[in-house]
Amino acid sequence: MADLEELKRKRDQLTAKIQQAEARQRANAKKADDRVKVLVGAAVLHQQTQSTDKRAALLALLDGFLTRPAERLAVLGKDGQGSEAFKRLVGDAE
């Protein structure tokens, strides 16, 4: 009977180690995904802000894409023409 209990204990330990390894793997994958999103976003921001026309097109795209009020405010600002942070990033701070 003691052997059975020992085997169950080892199984539980192994299950916990597997769950920890899977959680680390998911966290690493999310970090990699987030890094790609940031870099792609930076490239698009850079490319789309080289002219006034492109900047206006980017604002129009973001206006259609952003749905959460807090995100819209953070990116588009109150007037929809770009928040102060957006303007700093595109080199258009007032």
Side-chain angles (χ1 to χ4, degrees):
M1 195 55 92
D3 290 338
L4 181 58
E5 292 304 316
E6 179 67 15
L7 289 171
K8 287 181 180 181
R9 186 184 64 77
K10 287 182 180 181
R11 179 199 60 204
D12 293 344
Q13 288 175 339
L14 185 56
T15 298
K17 284 183 181 181
I18 290 169
Q19 289 172 344
Q20 289 171 350
E22 289 172 341
R24 274 192 306 275
Q25 192 175 41
R26 283 190 304 274
N28 288 338
K30 182 173 181 346
K31 285 180 187 177
D33 291 353
D34 290 348
R35 181 179 171 107
V36 169
K37 289 176 186 178
V38 166
L39 294 171
V40 168
V44 169
L45 183 65
H46 175 75
Q47 197 275 331
Q48 287 298 114
T49 56
Q50 297 304 303
S51 72
T52 305
D53 291 340
K54 286 183 176 182
R55 192 172 301 143
L58 178 59
L59 285 170
L61 171 72
L62 291 168
D63 185 43
F65 179 76
L66 299 171
T67 57
R68 295 179 181 158
E71 292 173 351
R72 292 180 61 79
L73 183 62
V75 176
L76 300 174
K78 291 179 182 177
D79 63 359
Q81 298 303 305
S83 67
E84 291 304 312
F86 179 86
K87 290 175 182 177
R88 271 194 314 275
L89 288 172
V90 300
D92 191 28
E94 295 173 355

